[in-house]
Amino acid sequence: MKLSELNPGETALVIHVGGNGAVHRRLLSMGILPGTVIRSVRVSPLGDPVIYEIRGSFISLRRNEAEEVEIEKIVPLHLVPPGTVVKVVLIDGGMGFIQNLSKMGISPGKVVEVLRPCCPMLVRTPTGSFPIGKGMAYRIYVR
Amino acid sequence: MLIALAGNPNTGKTTIFNALTGSHQHVGNWPGVTVEKKEGFAEYKGERIRIVDLPGTYSLTAYSLEELIARNFILEEKPDVVIDIIDSTNLERNLYLLTELMELTDKIVVALNMFDEARKKYRIDVEKMRRILGIPVVPTIAIKGQGIKELLREAVEGKFNLKKPEYPRDVEDRIKRIEEMLKDHHLENERWYAIKLLENDGDVVKKLQGIGARDVIHAAEHFRHELEDIYGDDIETLMASFRYSFSHGLFHEVAEPINVGGVTITDMIDHVVAHKIFGIPIFLVVMYLSFNFVFQVAAPFQDAIDLIFNGKDLSNGAHIAGLIDLSYSWMAGFLPDWLSSFINYGMLRGLAAVLTFTPIIMLLFIILSILEDSGYLARVAFLLDRIMRKMGLEGRGVISLMLGLGCNVPAIMSTRALRNERERKLSIALNPLIPCGARIQVFAFLTSLFFAKNQAVVLWSLLLISFAVVGILGYIYSKTIFRGEVEPFVMELPPYRLPTFKGIMIHMWEKSEGFLRKAGTIIIGAAGIIWLLAALPWGVEYGSEASYIGQIAQFLGPAGHLFGLTPEAIIALFFGFFAKEVVIDSFTVLFGSKQALLASMTQLQAYSFLLFLLFYTPCVATLATIYQETRSRKFVFFVVIEGLALAVLFSFLAYNIGLLLGVGG
């Protein structure tokens, strides 16, 4: 899927950054790299360009630039409805945060089920059921 | 001692530069290019420290002029310290440039700017950051002047024990081997050159070809292919990923997010201002209100300046003497009459012309600074990029065109915001075709006289013709003479911030002062020349048919006839070159009364004249500014010819089609 196909409000994981020369380099230096989380925020009245959130900043890309970025759709955990079983893709945080979640059985690749919606939400992980606060749920991405 | 300031755009770099240097600064261009260079001096314990503001960049690649300037300055001028100014509300992205700077130099001071705002977003452990990096880290709040002294102290007295970030082993090994090979070529900063060779940096490869290091280039190419095979991606993506993983790691080590997922004020404002339906109407209202404000506030100042210099003609025919009249009579006491007249009615009147539109220029710069510093300008670019792209410009180009409706001088100076040289030239070439406030004033005066019944229609037709010509010409230019590669439009939308009074004033004064000093001298000179043309040969009445201007008008008479231009109209156009509003004065002087003016032209001739006035040669101040901004006489000449050609074309067509149809006779 291409970044240009992502609808406003949706989140994705960057898989590959194409484009040549200046476009390629500019996308990279703004932090659009394989493995980064990107969210489509707002479309211009004329349909192009689109504002994306990446690494805490807001960047507008033209359609032809967004077409160069290969993505995979993901969802932040807080948006997942109860009763859904999802697979953790990425955890956005420092070592401490990642370790804490890992103790609860939440790490990339693990399957979790949402029992109660946000926030705080309740999730069942391979190790048990845990309450997850807003500050955490927003930084866990699932598929 | 030499300190360079580096940092991303929108980090408050300029504010820190101003705080460090105070009034001891100089604004110029980097050699050979039109990228602005700011330099100044700070004082620390009696030592004079030179401070250079590098262009704001996101990285240090060879793909953009700004980035090349920044890195070459650090490589070649070897500043004693580089201060990296970081927007601490946006740490992770800003730290990327730091990783690149750390490859270039060891002596870096990190300024964590906007620290107060950042504290609302995360808890930042400054001490830990200092320990991890091994260099001074200073929290600053530039707009409040906080942390500036500490920044300077750390730059001069701080301890630098930089711990350079390392790449993964297999990359690091290859960098070391290239470094070894570079030893024979006597370069400083071997590690940086090695990394750039590995990255296939065009500029560095060219440089090493120049010193005959072909073997190293080949080796680097080989290593590059090896790494691309190992990691399965292109080298640029790989290197950027390694650097970002360092900044990502560092960010999470030193900053702990608080209040995740909250709705920010910026979100709320954007929801309205960048709205799918309301966004563009809001922009138009903002522009309308801005112009209203500018003209309302400027008018009394302009009248006052005009009154002081030129005096006033009373309705009973009497004349209140202005400064120019008084100075003329005073000088005539000890100077020959012609010299006093030249100085006062030539040069001094030129100065007065400059001063009368200074209030408008200053106010427009204030508006521009507010729009820019608040973050709104980036939204305008976002809203209108699609339309502007058709004219070969990016979204921001719309601002300079809109400012043109106020005055072409600040409008042309505002094209500096366009990063691409081609787009800048294109928008400068189009700008004079937008009727400025002065021309609109003349339009209003003449239409109220000649087209009293349908004034609004005539006025709007002129504006629409101008916009259409700018749009079509932009489209044609961008496909022909200003053709070029489309720059990536990867634009950051900074959070909205309340602009500070001080910031706006500094911004405004920097630009207005530059205009007054540089363009001002050219304008006064040109005013002198126009005076000579109107006053020579000796003894003729100023501006009369016998003067050179009059003779030229007579000579051009038959040609003017083709467009319906009367000799008086040609004379008025000559004076309009000096400042477009002078056209009204010239008509008043030439005809004495409105009735005589009304009788001198048919409606068709008047319309043809208005079209000529819309497009012909921009005024001296605009030309001086174009020269100032492009440093190219050829370009100024191009703009003059462009304007004349359009003026001739449109007024010829309008007059002759009108004659054929038998309207307006």
Side-chain angles (χ1 to χ4, degrees):
Chain A
M1 183 177 178
K2 285 174 182 165
L3 181 59
S4 52
E5 298 166 71
L6 197 67
N7 293 319
E10 292 179 340
T11 308
L13 193 67
V14 177
I15 304 293
H16 177 76
V17 182
N20 43 19
V23 173
H24 182 61
R25 213 61 190 72
R26 184 63 69 82
L27 291 171
L28 296 176
S29 57
M30 298 306 278
I32 301 172
L33 291 163
T36 19
V37 177
I38 192 163
R39 186 170 70 93
S40 171
V41 180
R42 199 178 298 284
V43 182
S44 169
L46 302 154
D48 182 20
V50 174
I51 299 178
Y52 298 96
E53 183 182 4
I54 188 141
R55 294 175 198 263
S57 57
F58 294 88
I59 289 157
S60 106
L61 298 184
R62 285 179 180 163
R63 175 169 292 275
N64 60 340
E65 289 152 358
E67 272 170 3
E68 301 292 353
V69 182
E70 195 69 40
I71 54 155
E72 180 198 330
K73 225 191 270 184
I74 53 171
V75 184
L77 191 61
H78 73 274
L79 292 180
V80 177
T84 323
V85 177
V86 288
K87 194 174 181 180
V88 177
V89 182
L90 182 130
I91 292 164
D92 184 23
M95 291 304 277
F97 183 63
I98 291 172
Q99 273 165 13
N100 283 340
L101 285 176
S102 170
K103 277 179 204 152
M104 295 191 248
I106 299 174
S107 59
K110 293 277 164 61
V111 174
V112 299
E113 186 187 354
V114 177
L115 301 175
R116 206 169 59 209
C118 189
C119 278
M121 57 200 312
L122 194 67
V123 296
R124 182 163 34 226
T125 73
T127 19
S129 292
F130 300 95
I132 302 279
K134 192 176 164 191
M136 291 172 125
Y138 273 78
R139 293 153 72 193
I140 301 169
Y141 295 94
V142 299
R143 183 162 45 210
Chain B
M1 187 171 178
L2 172 62
I3 296 178
L5 302 186
N8 286 8
N10 305 316
T11 52
K13 203 154 66 68
T14 310
T15 317
I16 291 198
F17 175 78
N18 288 334
L20 283 169
T21 57
S23 54
H24 310 283
Q25 49 172 276
H26 170 76
V27 186
N29 279 351
W30 290 90
V33 293
T34 48
V35 179
E36 204 170 75
K37 180 186 188 183
K38 282 191 188 165
E39 239 186 293
F41 288 95
E43 203 155 295
Y44 183 78
K45 291 192 178 161
E47 192 193 350
R48 227 163 103 89
I49 300 168
R50 197 174 140 223
I51 296 180
V52 174
D53 191 18
L54 300 176
T57 61
Y58 294 109
S59 60
L60 296 174
T61 64
Y63 283 110
S64 87
L65 201 55
E66 283 86 1
E67 296 182 26
L68 276 173
I69 289 170
R71 71 185 210 185
N72 285 340
F73 184 84
I74 298 172
L75 273 177
E76 284 154 22
E77 307 284 318
K78 300 181 190 68
D80 299 285
V81 173
V82 174
I83 297 180
D84 180 17
I85 292 146
I86 281 179
D87 168 4
S88 29
T89 63
N90 192 350
L91 260 183
E92 189 178 346
R93 223 270 321 288
N94 275 259
L95 287 172
Y96 183 77
L97 182 69
L98 179 66
T99 63
E100 287 211 79
L101 286 171
M102 288 192 291
E103 287 164 4
L104 262 180
T105 171
D106 290 337
K107 297 191 77 181
I108 304 173
V109 175
V110 176
L112 289 177
N113 198 25
M114 310 189 205
F115 198 69
D116 50 344
E117 256 182 85
R119 267 197 302 215
K120 291 176 204 151
K121 238 174 133 181
Y122 358 80
R123 270 181 287 276
I124 302 180
D125 190 341
V126 178
E127 202 40 57
K128 193 174 182 188
M129 194 166 167
R130 202 171 295 169
R131 259 196 333 269
I132 295 174
L133 291 169
I135 47 175
V137 178
V138 184
T140 58
I141 308 168
I143 51 170
K144 293 183 187 155
Q146 285 175 28
I148 305 298
K149 274 192 193 125
E150 292 84 337
L151 198 59
L152 197 58
R153 189 182 62 225
E154 289 293 344
V156 181
E157 294 180 4
K159 287 196 175 61
F160 300 89
N161 189 15
L162 178 71
K163 292 167 192 145
K164 293 208 182 223
E166 291 205 345
Y167 291 93
R169 173 77 64 74
D170 35 14
V171 182
E172 207 52 58
D173 286 347
R174 287 173 176 81
I175 293 172
K176 295 255 159 58
R177 274 156 72 192
I178 302 173
E179 246 180 286
E180 279 302 315
M181 298 180 75
L182 281 171
K183 287 243 160 70
D184 308 334
H185 293 286
H186 310 288
L187 290 164
E188 287 175 65
N189 265 316
E190 282 140 356
R191 183 178 161 85
W192 184 79
Y193 280 105
I195 293 171
K196 289 292 155 189
L197 275 181
L198 197 59
E199 276 187 284
N200 201 15
D201 179 289
D203 196 56
V204 166
V205 171
K206 212 187 292 164
K207 188 168 176 184
L208 287 185
Q209 272 169 349
I211 58 167
R214 289 196 177 275
D215 51 328
V216 194
I217 297 170
H218 284 303
E221 207 173 294
H222 175 66
F223 291 148
R224 180 163 64 245
H225 292 314
E226 280 183 350
L227 287 172
E228 287 179 339
D229 283 342
I230 295 172
Y231 288 93
D233 217 331
D234 63 278
I235 194 77
E236 294 184 330
T237 305
L238 291 177
M239 298 302 271
S241 297
F242 297 141
R243 291 193 191 110
Y244 255 111
S245 67
F246 176 80
S247 65
H248 182 78
L250 179 62
F251 164 63
H252 284 295
E253 282 297 323
V254 301
E256 197 188 322
I258 41 180
N259 190 23
V260 182
V263 177
T264 61
I265 295 175
T266 295
D267 274 340
M268 292 192 278
I269 300 177
D270 266 346
H271 199 70
V272 179
V273 155
H275 190 270
K276 251 185 123 62
I277 297 162
F278 305 128
I280 293 175
I282 289 175
F283 165 68
L284 295 175
V285 170
V286 168
M287 285 320 276
Y288 175 78
L289 292 178
S290 303
F291 282 125
N292 232 345
F293 168 80
V294 167
F295 290 123
Q296 298 272 337
V297 175
F301 287 104
Q302 286 185 294
D303 290 346
I305 293 168
D306 188 47
L307 181 69
I308 291 169
F309 278 93
N310 296 325
K312 194 174 182 183
D313 291 311
L314 297 176
S315 49
N316 60 13
H319 178 78
I320 299 176
L323 214 54
I324 295 176
D325 303 316
L326 296 175
S327 159
Y328 165 77
S329 336
W330 174 65
M331 281 188 194
F334 53 91
L335 287 178
D337 185 59
W338 64 270
L339 187 57
S340 174
S341 181
F342 174 68
I343 292 173
N344 293 295
Y345 291 112
M347 317 246 290
L348 199 57
R349 189 171 276 173
L351 177 70
V354 177
L355 287 177
T356 44
F357 49 79
T358 323
I360 287 202
I361 289 176
M362 288 174 135
L363 284 161
L364 282 170
F365 276 132
I366 287 178
I367 294 285
L368 182 66
S369 307
I370 293 174
L371 295 180
E372 203 173 345
D373 293 357
S374 63
Y376 185 59
L377 219 54
R379 273 70 185 183
V380 174
F382 166 71
L383 289 172
L384 296 168
D385 181 62
R386 187 77 186 274
I387 302 175
M388 297 311 288
R389 214 178 323 159
K390 291 245 185 294
M391 303 168 45
L393 292 171
E394 57 149 296
R396 261 171 291 202
V398 77
I399 291 295
S400 60
L401 292 181
M402 290 297 258
L403 284 178
L405 286 170
C407 174
N408 298 112
V409 169
I412 286 164
M413 289 169 83
S414 77
T415 59
R416 283 182 203 170
L418 300 173
R419 297 208 137 201
N420 177 324
E421 190 70 15
R422 178 190 67 81
E423 290 188 10
R424 240 197 111 190
K425 288 216 164 128
L426 172 57
S427 74
I428 292 177
L430 295 177
N431 206 286
L433 308 177
I434 299 273
C436 60
R439 266 175 284 173
I440 293 172
Q441 217 174 305
V442 183
F443 293 161
F445 171 74
L446 289 178
T447 49
S448 72
L449 202 62
F450 283 92
F451 304 94
K453 277 186 198 138
N454 36 18
Q455 190 189 3
V457 180
V458 175
L459 265 176
W460 274 107
S461 76
L462 292 168
L463 280 180
L464 289 179
I465 288 173
S466 146
F467 295 160
V469 165
V470 166
I472 294 167
L473 218 51
Y475 180 79
I476 296 172
Y477 279 171
S478 65
K479 297 266 182 286
T480 53
I481 37 178
F482 295 102
R483 191 178 43 214
E485 232 175 275
V486 180
E487 280 273 295
F489 181 65
V490 181
M491 178 188 64
E492 192 187 356
L493 290 112
Y496 288 103
R497 295 199 170 94
L498 214 56
T500 63
F501 181 74
K502 202 174 148 197
I504 290 168
M505 285 304 147
I506 290 177
H507 222 112
M508 180 275 286
W509 182 240
E510 244 169 34
K511 291 186 168 142
S512 313
E513 190 222 357
F515 162 75
L516 281 176
R517 221 185 12 198
K518 292 168 190 163
T521 45
I522 299 180
I523 296 164
I524 293 169
I529 293 170
I530 294 179
W531 181 87
L532 287 175
L533 286 176
L536 293 179
W538 299 125
V540 300
E541 196 189 328
Y542 183 78
S544 70
E545 279 183 11
S547 71
Y548 282 139
I549 282 190
Q551 285 177 26
I552 294 169
Q554 291 297 325
F555 176 73
L556 291 175
H561 194 66
L562 292 172
F563 318 109
L565 296 182
T566 60
E568 290 86 0
I570 295 176
I571 294 178
L573 287 171
F574 258 103
F575 284 112
F577 175 58
F578 177 42
K580 299 282 159 102
E581 64 265 37
V582 175
V583 168
I584 301 177
D585 298 332
S586 320
F587 274 135
T588 325
V589 172
L590 289 168
F591 289 106
S593 75
K594 283 187 178 176
Q595 284 68 30
L597 172 57
L598 192 55
S600 75
M601 285 191 273
T602 62
Q603 276 192 330
L604 185 60
Q605 281 180 310
Y607 194 70
S608 160
F609 174 79
L610 288 172
L611 279 172
F612 203 94
L613 181 71
L614 174 61
F615 290 124
Y616 89 115
T617 313
C619 69
V620 198
T622 306
L623 289 181
T625 309
I626 293 174
Y627 179 68
Q628 207 61 48
E629 295 296 311
T630 58
R631 293 263 153 216
S632 158
R633 282 197 192 109
K634 245 162 71 186
F635 198 87
V636 175
F637 186 68
F638 167 77
V639 173
V640 171
I641 295 300
E642 170 197 61
L644 277 176
L646 284 168
V648 163
L649 177 72
F650 275 87
S651 63
F652 178 79
L653 285 180
Y655 184 62
N656 289 288
I657 291 172
L659 278 185
L660 279 176
L661 298 177
V663 291

